[in-house]
Amino acid sequence: MEAVVVEQYDTIDNIPLKDVALPGVSAGQVRVKVQAASIGFVDGLKVQGLYQTKDALPFTPGTEFAGLVDAVGAGVTGLASGQAVMGMARSGALAEYIVVPAATLAAMPDGIAPEVAAAFRANYLTALYALAERGSLRSGEILLVLGAAGGVGIAAVQVGKLLGARVIAAASTEEKRKFASDHGADATIDYTQANWRDVLKELTGDHGADVIYDPVGGEVSVQAFRSIAWNGRHLVVGFAAGKIPALPFNLPLLKGGVLTGVDLAQIGRREPETERRVTAQLLSWLRDKKLVPVVGQVFPFADFREAFRTMQTRAALGKMVVRIA
């Protein structure tokens, strides 16, 4: 089979597509013929060895995928050859086949395209877990989403609306702000402008944001916290800007605010029941068409490098997807 193989940490330009052996299936495992895999910011860091944890070399990148069950190991029930599924793994999705524990797979709801399913779980699980479980977002509250046009940002815009919040989307270009508005944002802000906090103050009637969803980092994070509402919650999701900000401790004191971390990689291990409950809610919304996940650009497997490059420019709208079969 063909797979993207990282033999040494490097830029995506130097990562090859290679012929590798078809993986075998052990007890409790399922082999999936991958139809589509998505690429996120973390994937771009992992291939370069820049993520906070490193995958042992060699490895195949890609954590989120959708496809058809190809083979099942002993003891696996409820899954059969040819069944459409979607899943997440630590790595391995950018390949024609992937082997994962059966428990990590979910049946793909009827009528959902592989490209949609592959771009769904990570971003939307992060958004709902962050907003509902960590941020305790309530109906009628004001949600500020930084980096609102990226894959994880636009998921927060949509989930925030489903939770009943008034959503203000912050993004750096007119195209990105329109994209956020088209997917439910009530108002938008250009956070590259020096007066953006004044605009937020006006939009919120001097109240500020009750919850800040922040996958960006950098100086904009500190400025956003300065505009948080009393008893507001600032959710730290990531650092797409490349710089980890330093928050003066007097700001939480003055604002009565809370800084809360959100790490998707640890939810399943530390809060398995919460993960199951949040995933069940997302799948329910998906089946009922209350949630229509946003897919960015779709690339052929041979053009996987271009998918990475597009994602890394931060010019992308939504999440990049590679169509494999």
Side-chain angles (χ1 to χ4, degrees):
M1 71 171 190
E2 283 194 312
V4 177
V5 181
V6 179
E7 298 172 302
Q8 60 181 17
Y9 301 121
D10 206 336
T11 65
I12 195 61
D13 295 329
N14 298 319
I15 304 300
L17 187 62
K18 300 184 68 174
D19 286 319
V20 299
L22 184 71
V25 183
S26 300
Q29 294 183 325
V30 176
R31 186 168 64 214
V32 177
K33 180 176 175 59
V34 181
Q35 295 176 306
S38 63
I39 294 174
F41 186 72
V42 168
D43 298 304
L45 294 176
K46 281 188 172 185
V47 300
Q48 299 175 79
L50 299 177
Y51 191 56
Q52 53 196 358
T53 59
K54 287 183 170 61
D55 292 71
L57 298 171
F59 75 95
T60 291
T63 60
E64 196 173 8
F65 61 92
L68 303 174
V69 172
D70 179 65
V72 298
V76 174
T77 59
L79 293 170
S81 180
Q83 184 175 355
V85 292
M86 53 186 175
M88 288 195 300
R90 179 180 176 84
S91 60
L94 283 170
E96 291 183 303
Y97 293 87
I98 186 173
V99 173
V100 295
T104 65
L105 296 172
M108 199 185 305
D110 292 340
I112 302 300
E115 293 87 350
V116 173
F120 172 62
R121 289 185 72 179
N123 285 348
Y124 290 86
L125 178 58
T126 299
L128 183 54
Y129 173 76
L131 296 176
E133 302 294 329
R134 303 293 283 161
S136 301
L137 180 66
R138 296 180 288 272
S139 180
E141 287 193 315
I142 297 170
L143 168 65
L144 173 65
V145 180
L146 304 180
V152 72
I154 202 66
V157 169
Q158 293 179 286
V159 169
K161 289 302 297 178
L162 283 168
L163 294 174
R166 182 185 175 213
V167 179
I168 299 175
S172 59
T173 69
E174 181 60 36
E175 182 184 21
K176 290 181 178 181
R177 292 190 292 276
K178 182 179 185 304
F179 182 74
S181 293
D182 290 345
H183 288 91
D186 297 291
T188 64
I189 290 176
D190 179 357
Y191 59 49
T192 68
Q193 299 299 309
N195 70 335
W196 77 267
R197 290 180 58 217
D198 294 329
V199 176
L200 178 63
K201 183 177 181 180
E202 182 176 349
L203 285 172
T204 64
D206 203 20
H207 177 78
D210 295 296
V211 175
I212 298 170
Y213 186 88
D214 181 7
V216 176
E219 181 58 27
V220 70
S221 296
V222 178
Q223 295 305 314
F225 198 96
R226 292 181 183 278
S227 293
I228 204 167
W230 178 252
N231 285 336
R233 291 83 74 196
H234 188 130
L235 303 168
V236 180
V237 179
F239 310 103
K243 181 180 179 181
I244 298 176
L247 185 73
F249 272 27
N250 66 314
L251 291 179
L253 184 153
L254 294 171
K255 296 287 187 175
V258 177
L259 195 69
T260 300
V262 180
D263 185 1
L264 177 64
Q266 298 193 63
I267 300 172
R269 176 168 57 90
R270 295 182 180 274
E271 301 180 58
E273 286 298 326
T274 300
E275 183 187 48
R276 282 190 282 271
R277 174 164 44 79
V278 171
T279 299
Q281 177 64 78
L282 290 169
L283 291 173
S284 175
W285 283 341
L286 194 63
R287 285 190 296 267
D288 295 342
K289 304 296 191 295
K290 291 181 179 180
L291 177 62
V292 180
V294 178
V295 176
Q297 195 169 344
V298 179
F299 298 81
F301 196 13
D303 293 340
F304 74 92
R305 296 181 191 87
E306 188 60 29
F308 272 86
R309 284 191 288 264
T310 302
M311 178 272 300
Q312 289 168 334
T313 64
R314 295 183 60 200
L317 303 176
K319 195 166 189 177
M320 301 299 97
V321 175
V322 174
R323 180 73 193 207
I324 296 177

PDB file of all heavy atoms in Angstrom, residues 128-161:
ATOM      1  N   LEU A 128     -16.792  21.389  21.347  1.00  0.00           N
ATOM      2  CA  LEU A 128     -17.879  21.122  22.301  1.00  0.00           C
ATOM      3  C   LEU A 128     -17.327  20.834  23.695  1.00  0.00           C
ATOM      4  O   LEU A 128     -17.879  21.309  24.698  1.00  0.00           O
ATOM      5  CB  LEU A 128     -18.744  19.955  21.817  1.00  0.00           C
ATOM      6  CG  LEU A 128     -19.960  19.628  22.691  1.00  0.00           C
ATOM      7  CD1 LEU A 128     -20.844  20.848  22.919  1.00  0.00           C
ATOM      8  CD2 LEU A 128     -20.773  18.486  22.089  1.00  0.00           C
ATOM      9  N   TYR A 129     -16.239  20.075  23.775  1.00  0.00           N
ATOM     10  CA  TYR A 129     -15.632  19.815  25.087  1.00  0.00           C
ATOM     11  C   TYR A 129     -15.180  21.129  25.726  1.00  0.00           C
ATOM     12  O   TYR A 129     -15.436  21.376  26.912  1.00  0.00           O
ATOM     13  CB  TYR A 129     -14.451  18.863  24.933  1.00  0.00           C
ATOM     14  CG  TYR A 129     -13.657  18.681  26.204  1.00  0.00           C
ATOM     15  CD1 TYR A 129     -14.130  17.883  27.239  1.00  0.00           C
ATOM     16  CD2 TYR A 129     -12.431  19.313  26.378  1.00  0.00           C
ATOM     17  CE1 TYR A 129     -13.407  17.720  28.413  1.00  0.00           C
ATOM     18  CE2 TYR A 129     -11.697  19.162  27.545  1.00  0.00           C
ATOM     19  CZ  TYR A 129     -12.191  18.368  28.561  1.00  0.00           C
ATOM     20  OH  TYR A 129     -11.471  18.222  29.722  1.00  0.00           O
ATOM     21  N   ALA A 130     -14.524  21.971  24.929  1.00  0.00           N
ATOM     22  CA  ALA A 130     -14.015  23.237  25.459  1.00  0.00           C
ATOM     23  C   ALA A 130     -15.153  24.134  25.929  1.00  0.00           C
ATOM     24  O   ALA A 130     -15.139  24.648  27.056  1.00  0.00           O
ATOM     25  CB  ALA A 130     -13.182  23.957  24.405  1.00  0.00           C
ATOM     26  N   LEU A 131     -16.130  24.342  25.064  1.00  0.00           N
ATOM     27  CA  LEU A 131     -17.184  25.310  25.364  1.00  0.00           C
ATOM     28  C   LEU A 131     -18.147  24.823  26.449  1.00  0.00           C
ATOM     29  O   LEU A 131     -18.505  25.583  27.353  1.00  0.00           O
ATOM     30  CB  LEU A 131     -17.956  25.644  24.086  1.00  0.00           C
ATOM     31  CG  LEU A 131     -17.135  26.336  22.988  1.00  0.00           C
ATOM     32  CD1 LEU A 131     -17.986  26.524  21.734  1.00  0.00           C
ATOM     33  CD2 LEU A 131     -16.587  27.678  23.471  1.00  0.00           C
ATOM     34  N   ALA A 132     -18.564  23.576  26.356  1.00  0.00           N
ATOM     35  CA  ALA A 132     -19.571  23.080  27.298  1.00  0.00           C
ATOM     36  C   ALA A 132     -18.971  22.579  28.606  1.00  0.00           C
ATOM     37  O   ALA A 132     -19.488  22.884  29.690  1.00  0.00           O
ATOM     38  CB  ALA A 132     -20.387  21.968  26.636  1.00  0.00           C
ATOM     39  N   GLU A 133     -17.871  21.803  28.512  1.00  0.00           N
ATOM     40  CA  GLU A 133     -17.317  21.158  29.698  1.00  0.00           C
ATOM     41  C   GLU A 133     -16.322  22.047  30.433  1.00  0.00           C
ATOM     42  O   GLU A 133     -16.303  22.085  31.666  1.00  0.00           O
ATOM     43  CB  GLU A 133     -16.637  19.838  29.308  1.00  0.00           C
ATOM     44  CG  GLU A 133     -17.551  18.848  28.601  1.00  0.00           C
ATOM     45  CD  GLU A 133     -18.651  18.334  29.505  1.00  0.00           C
ATOM     46  OE1 GLU A 133     -18.422  18.230  30.726  1.00  0.00           O
ATOM     47  OE2 GLU A 133     -19.748  18.023  28.977  1.00  0.00           O
ATOM     48  N   ARG A 134     -15.453  22.730  29.699  1.00  0.00           N
ATOM     49  CA  ARG A 134     -14.415  23.539  30.329  1.00  0.00           C
ATOM     50  C   ARG A 134     -14.838  24.996  30.500  1.00  0.00           C
ATOM     51  O   ARG A 134     -14.496  25.638  31.488  1.00  0.00           O
ATOM     52  CB  ARG A 134     -13.115  23.468  29.510  1.00  0.00           C
ATOM     53  CG  ARG A 134     -12.581  22.063  29.313  1.00  0.00           C
ATOM     54  CD  ARG A 134     -12.104  21.449  30.606  1.00  0.00           C
ATOM     55  NE  ARG A 134     -10.798  21.985  30.989  1.00  0.00           N
ATOM     56  CZ  ARG A 134     -10.299  21.925  32.212  1.00  0.00           C
ATOM     57  NH1 ARG A 134     -10.986  21.384  33.185  1.00  0.00           N
ATOM     58  NH2 ARG A 134      -9.100  22.421  32.472  1.00  0.00           N
ATOM     59  N   GLY A 135     -15.583  25.511  29.520  1.00  0.00           N
ATOM     60  CA  GLY A 135     -15.975  26.914  29.578  1.00  0.00           C
ATOM     61  C   GLY A 135     -17.357  27.164  30.147  1.00  0.00           C
ATOM     62  O   GLY A 135     -17.717  28.313  30.401  1.00  0.00           O
ATOM     63  N   SER A 136     -18.143  26.095  30.358  1.00  0.00           N
ATOM     64  CA  SER A 136     -19.512  26.211  30.899  1.00  0.00           C
ATOM     65  C   SER A 136     -20.300  27.305  30.178  1.00  0.00           C
ATOM     66  O   SER A 136     -21.007  28.108  30.800  1.00  0.00           O
ATOM     67  CB  SER A 136     -19.477  26.506  32.410  1.00  0.00           C
ATOM     68  OG  SER A 136     -18.800  25.476  33.095  1.00  0.00           O
ATOM     69  N   LEU A 137     -20.189  27.325  28.844  1.00  0.00           N
ATOM     70  CA  LEU A 137     -20.891  28.328  28.046  1.00  0.00           C
ATOM     71  C   LEU A 137     -22.391  28.141  28.175  1.00  0.00           C
ATOM     72  O   LEU A 137     -22.912  27.047  27.964  1.00  0.00           O
ATOM     73  CB  LEU A 137     -20.464  28.215  26.581  1.00  0.00           C
ATOM     74  CG  LEU A 137     -21.100  29.202  25.610  1.00  0.00           C
ATOM     75  CD1 LEU A 137     -20.670  30.634  25.909  1.00  0.00           C
ATOM     76  CD2 LEU A 137     -20.757  28.826  24.169  1.00  0.00           C
ATOM     77  N   ARG A 138     -23.088  29.228  28.513  1.00  0.00           N
ATOM     78  CA  ARG A 138     -24.527  29.178  28.693  1.00  0.00           C
ATOM     79  C   ARG A 138     -25.241  29.941  27.587  1.00  0.00           C
ATOM     80  O   ARG A 138     -24.694  30.884  27.003  1.00  0.00           O
ATOM     81  CB  ARG A 138     -24.906  29.754  30.060  1.00  0.00           C
ATOM     82  CG  ARG A 138     -24.362  28.961  31.229  1.00  0.00           C
ATOM     83  CD  ARG A 138     -24.755  29.570  32.560  1.00  0.00           C
ATOM     84  NE  ARG A 138     -24.037  30.814  32.825  1.00  0.00           N
ATOM     85  CZ  ARG A 138     -22.855  30.874  33.425  1.00  0.00           C
ATOM     86  NH1 ARG A 138     -22.239  29.764  33.808  1.00  0.00           N
ATOM     87  NH2 ARG A 138     -22.262  32.031  33.635  1.00  0.00           N
ATOM     88  N   SER A 139     -26.462  29.541  27.328  1.00  0.00           N
ATOM     89  CA  SER A 139     -27.277  30.227  26.323  1.00  0.00           C
ATOM     90  C   SER A 139     -27.392  31.710  26.676  1.00  0.00           C
ATOM     91  O   SER A 139     -27.630  32.065  27.834  1.00  0.00           O
ATOM     92  CB  SER A 139     -28.666  29.588  26.261  1.00  0.00           C
ATOM     93  OG  SER A 139     -29.469  30.235  25.293  1.00  0.00           O
ATOM     94  N   GLY A 140     -27.205  32.556  25.688  1.00  0.00           N
ATOM     95  CA  GLY A 140     -27.294  33.996  25.888  1.00  0.00           C
ATOM     96  C   GLY A 140     -25.974  34.663  26.215  1.00  0.00           C
ATOM     97  O   GLY A 140     -25.890  35.898  26.179  1.00  0.00           O
ATOM     98  N   GLU A 141     -24.944  33.881  26.530  1.00  0.00           N
ATOM     99  CA  GLU A 141     -23.640  34.473  26.818  1.00  0.00           C
ATOM    100  C   GLU A 141     -22.937  34.876  25.519  1.00  0.00           C
ATOM    101  O   GLU A 141     -23.304  34.443  24.421  1.00  0.00           O
ATOM    102  CB  GLU A 141     -22.763  33.499  27.611  1.00  0.00           C
ATOM    103  CG  GLU A 141     -23.203  33.349  29.057  1.00  0.00           C
ATOM    104  CD  GLU A 141     -22.167  32.651  29.910  1.00  0.00           C
ATOM    105  OE1 GLU A 141     -21.617  31.618  29.471  1.00  0.00           O
ATOM    106  OE2 GLU A 141     -21.910  33.140  31.031  1.00  0.00           O
ATOM    107  N   ILE A 142     -21.893  35.684  25.683  1.00  0.00           N
ATOM    108  CA  ILE A 142     -21.126  36.170  24.537  1.00  0.00           C
ATOM    109  C   ILE A 142     -19.861  35.339  24.408  1.00  0.00           C
ATOM    110  O   ILE A 142     -19.075  35.218  25.348  1.00  0.00           O
ATOM    111  CB  ILE A 142     -20.756  37.660  24.703  1.00  0.00           C
ATOM    112  CG1 ILE A 142     -22.032  38.508  24.736  1.00  0.00           C
ATOM    113  CG2 ILE A 142     -19.834  38.120  23.571  1.00  0.00           C
ATOM    114  CD1 ILE A 142     -21.786  39.961  25.127  1.00  0.00           C
ATOM    115  N   LEU A 143     -19.676  34.762  23.219  1.00  0.00           N
ATOM    116  CA  LEU A 143     -18.509  33.946  22.908  1.00  0.00           C
ATOM    117  C   LEU A 143     -17.658  34.666  21.873  1.00  0.00           C
ATOM    118  O   LEU A 143     -18.142  35.028  20.799  1.00  0.00           O
ATOM    119  CB  LEU A 143     -18.945  32.578  22.369  1.00  0.00           C
ATOM    120  CG  LEU A 143     -17.851  31.715  21.725  1.00  0.00           C
ATOM    121  CD1 LEU A 143     -16.810  31.301  22.760  1.00  0.00           C
ATOM    122  CD2 LEU A 143     -18.474  30.485  21.058  1.00  0.00           C
ATOM    123  N   LEU A 144     -16.382  34.876  22.198  1.00  0.00           N
ATOM    124  CA  LEU A 144     -15.420  35.430  21.251  1.00  0.00           C
ATOM    125  C   LEU A 144     -14.542  34.295  20.754  1.00  0.00           C
ATOM    126  O   LEU A 144     -13.886  33.612  21.542  1.00  0.00           O
ATOM    127  CB  LEU A 144     -14.560  36.506  21.925  1.00  0.00           C
ATOM    128  CG  LEU A 144     -13.387  37.048  21.093  1.00  0.00           C
ATOM    129  CD1 LEU A 144     -13.881  37.794  19.863  1.00  0.00           C
ATOM    130  CD2 LEU A 144     -12.494  37.956  21.954  1.00  0.00           C
ATOM    131  N   VAL A 145     -14.522  34.086  19.439  1.00  0.00           N
ATOM    132  CA  VAL A 145     -13.700  33.039  18.836  1.00  0.00           C
ATOM    133  C   VAL A 145     -12.546  33.692  18.084  1.00  0.00           C
ATOM    134  O   VAL A 145     -12.762  34.425  17.115  1.00  0.00           O
ATOM    135  CB  VAL A 145     -14.521  32.157  17.869  1.00  0.00           C
ATOM    136  CG1 VAL A 145     -13.629  31.077  17.257  1.00  0.00           C
ATOM    137  CG2 VAL A 145     -15.706  31.528  18.592  1.00  0.00           C
ATOM    138  N   LEU A 146     -11.315  33.452  18.530  1.00  0.00           N
ATOM    139  CA  LEU A 146     -10.139  33.936  17.829  1.00  0.00           C
ATOM    140  C   LEU A 146      -9.770  32.942  16.723  1.00  0.00           C
ATOM    141  O   LEU A 146      -9.978  31.738  16.869  1.00  0.00           O
ATOM    142  CB  LEU A 146      -8.968  34.102  18.797  1.00  0.00           C
ATOM    143  CG  LEU A 146      -9.211  34.996  20.018  1.00  0.00           C
ATOM    144  CD1 LEU A 146      -7.943  35.063  20.877  1.00  0.00           C
ATOM    145  CD2 LEU A 146      -9.641  36.394  19.596  1.00  0.00           C
ATOM    146  N   GLY A 147      -9.202  33.444  15.627  1.00  0.00           N
ATOM    147  CA  GLY A 147      -8.861  32.550  14.514  1.00  0.00           C
ATOM    148  C   GLY A 147     -10.081  31.817  14.008  1.00  0.00           C
ATOM    149  O   GLY A 147     -10.054  30.610  13.753  1.00  0.00           O
ATOM    150  N   ALA A 148     -11.180  32.545  13.843  1.00  0.00           N
ATOM    151  CA  ALA A 148     -12.487  31.923  13.638  1.00  0.00           C
ATOM    152  C   ALA A 148     -12.670  31.233  12.300  1.00  0.00           C
ATOM    153  O   ALA A 148     -13.613  30.461  12.137  1.00  0.00           O
ATOM    154  CB  ALA A 148     -13.592  32.971  13.817  1.00  0.00           C
ATOM    155  N   ALA A 149     -11.798  31.470  11.316  1.00  0.00           N
ATOM    156  CA  ALA A 149     -11.989  30.868   9.996  1.00  0.00           C
ATOM    157  C   ALA A 149     -11.204  29.580   9.810  1.00  0.00           C
ATOM    158  O   ALA A 149     -11.394  28.886   8.808  1.00  0.00           O
ATOM    159  CB  ALA A 149     -11.610  31.862   8.898  1.00  0.00           C
ATOM    160  N   GLY A 150     -10.319  29.247  10.744  1.00  0.00           N
ATOM    161  CA  GLY A 150      -9.592  27.988  10.651  1.00  0.00           C
ATOM    162  C   GLY A 150     -10.481  26.818  11.015  1.00  0.00           C
ATOM    163  O   GLY A 150     -11.629  26.987  11.449  1.00  0.00           O
ATOM    164  N   GLY A 151      -9.968  25.603  10.845  1.00  0.00           N
ATOM    165  CA  GLY A 151     -10.785  24.430  11.112  1.00  0.00           C
ATOM    166  C   GLY A 151     -11.312  24.363  12.520  1.00  0.00           C
ATOM    167  O   GLY A 151     -12.504  24.126  12.760  1.00  0.00           O
ATOM    168  N   VAL A 152     -10.446  24.589  13.519  1.00  0.00           N
ATOM    169  CA  VAL A 152     -10.883  24.512  14.912  1.00  0.00           C
ATOM    170  C   VAL A 152     -11.701  25.737  15.302  1.00  0.00           C
ATOM    171  O   VAL A 152     -12.607  25.660  16.136  1.00  0.00           O
ATOM    172  CB  VAL A 152      -9.656  24.329  15.839  1.00  0.00           C
ATOM    173  CG1 VAL A 152      -8.821  25.587  15.936  1.00  0.00           C
ATOM    174  CG2 VAL A 152     -10.068  23.855  17.212  1.00  0.00           C
ATOM    175  N   GLY A 153     -11.440  26.881  14.666  1.00  0.00           N
ATOM    176  CA  GLY A 153     -12.188  28.093  14.965  1.00  0.00           C
ATOM    177  C   GLY A 153     -13.605  28.053  14.440  1.00  0.00           C
ATOM    178  O   GLY A 153     -14.565  28.399  15.149  1.00  0.00           O
ATOM    179  N   ILE A 154     -13.768  27.628  13.200  1.00  0.00           N
ATOM    180  CA  ILE A 154     -15.116  27.609  12.614  1.00  0.00           C
ATOM    181  C   ILE A 154     -15.984  26.564  13.311  1.00  0.00           C
ATOM    182  O   ILE A 154     -17.202  26.727  13.424  1.00  0.00           O
ATOM    183  CB  ILE A 154     -15.056  27.370  11.087  1.00  0.00           C
ATOM    184  CG1 ILE A 154     -16.339  27.885  10.424  1.00  0.00           C
ATOM    185  CG2 ILE A 154     -14.804  25.928  10.741  1.00  0.00           C
ATOM    186  CD1 ILE A 154     -16.532  29.382  10.490  1.00  0.00           C
ATOM    187  N   ALA A 155     -15.353  25.492  13.819  1.00  0.00           N
ATOM    188  CA  ALA A 155     -16.109  24.514  14.606  1.00  0.00           C
ATOM    189  C   ALA A 155     -16.668  25.169  15.863  1.00  0.00           C
ATOM    190  O   ALA A 155     -17.820  24.924  16.248  1.00  0.00           O
ATOM    191  CB  ALA A 155     -15.215  23.332  14.972  1.00  0.00           C
ATOM    192  N   ALA A 156     -15.880  26.025  16.512  1.00  0.00           N
ATOM    193  CA  ALA A 156     -16.342  26.710  17.721  1.00  0.00           C
ATOM    194  C   ALA A 156     -17.460  27.690  17.411  1.00  0.00           C
ATOM    195  O   ALA A 156     -18.384  27.872  18.215  1.00  0.00           O
ATOM    196  CB  ALA A 156     -15.182  27.430  18.395  1.00  0.00           C
ATOM    197  N   VAL A 157     -17.388  28.344  16.257  1.00  0.00           N
ATOM    198  CA  VAL A 157     -18.476  29.240  15.848  1.00  0.00           C
ATOM    199  C   VAL A 157     -19.781  28.459  15.747  1.00  0.00           C
ATOM    200  O   VAL A 157     -20.817  28.862  16.300  1.00  0.00           O
ATOM    201  CB  VAL A 157     -18.146  29.905  14.493  1.00  0.00           C
ATOM    202  CG1 VAL A 157     -19.376  30.627  13.936  1.00  0.00           C
ATOM    203  CG2 VAL A 157     -16.984  30.891  14.644  1.00  0.00           C
ATOM    204  N   GLN A 158     -19.743  27.324  15.060  1.00  0.00           N
ATOM    205  CA  GLN A 158     -20.963  26.534  14.862  1.00  0.00           C
ATOM    206  C   GLN A 158     -21.477  25.935  16.164  1.00  0.00           C
ATOM    207  O   GLN A 158     -22.680  25.974  16.446  1.00  0.00           O
ATOM    208  CB  GLN A 158     -20.692  25.426  13.843  1.00  0.00           C
ATOM    209  CG  GLN A 158     -20.423  25.936  12.433  1.00  0.00           C
ATOM    210  CD  GLN A 158     -20.149  24.789  11.477  1.00  0.00           C
ATOM    211  OE1 GLN A 158     -19.077  24.194  11.508  1.00  0.00           O
ATOM    212  NE2 GLN A 158     -21.118  24.474  10.637  1.00  0.00           N
ATOM    213  N   VAL A 159     -20.570  25.367  16.970  1.00  0.00           N
ATOM    214  CA  VAL A 159     -20.988  24.755  18.225  1.00  0.00           C
ATOM    215  C   VAL A 159     -21.501  25.822  19.191  1.00  0.00           C
ATOM    216  O   VAL A 159     -22.492  25.618  19.901  1.00  0.00           O
ATOM    217  CB  VAL A 159     -19.821  23.954  18.844  1.00  0.00           C
ATOM    218  CG1 VAL A 159     -20.150  23.525  20.270  1.00  0.00           C
ATOM    219  CG2 VAL A 159     -19.512  22.736  17.984  1.00  0.00           C
ATOM    220  N   GLY A 160     -20.835  26.976  19.212  1.00  0.00           N
ATOM    221  CA  GLY A 160     -21.297  28.062  20.076  1.00  0.00           C
ATOM    222  C   GLY A 160     -22.723  28.470  19.766  1.00  0.00           C
ATOM    223  O   GLY A 160     -23.529  28.713  20.681  1.00  0.00           O
ATOM    224  N   LYS A 161     -23.058  28.540  18.482  1.00  0.00           N
ATOM    225  CA  LYS A 161     -24.433  28.874  18.097  1.00  0.00           C
ATOM    226  C   LYS A 161     -25.406  27.787  18.546  1.00  0.00           C
ATOM    227  O   LYS A 161     -26.509  28.084  19.021  1.00  0.00           O
ATOM    228  CB  LYS A 161     -24.519  29.080  16.590  1.00  0.00           C
ATOM    229  CG  LYS A 161     -23.854  30.357  16.093  1.00  0.00           C
ATOM    230  CD  LYS A 161     -24.437  31.610  16.734  1.00  0.00           C
ATOM    231  CE  LYS A 161     -25.906  31.809  16.384  1.00  0.00           C
ATOM    232  NZ  LYS A 161     -26.467  33.010  17.062  1.00  0.00           N
TER     233      LYS A 161
END
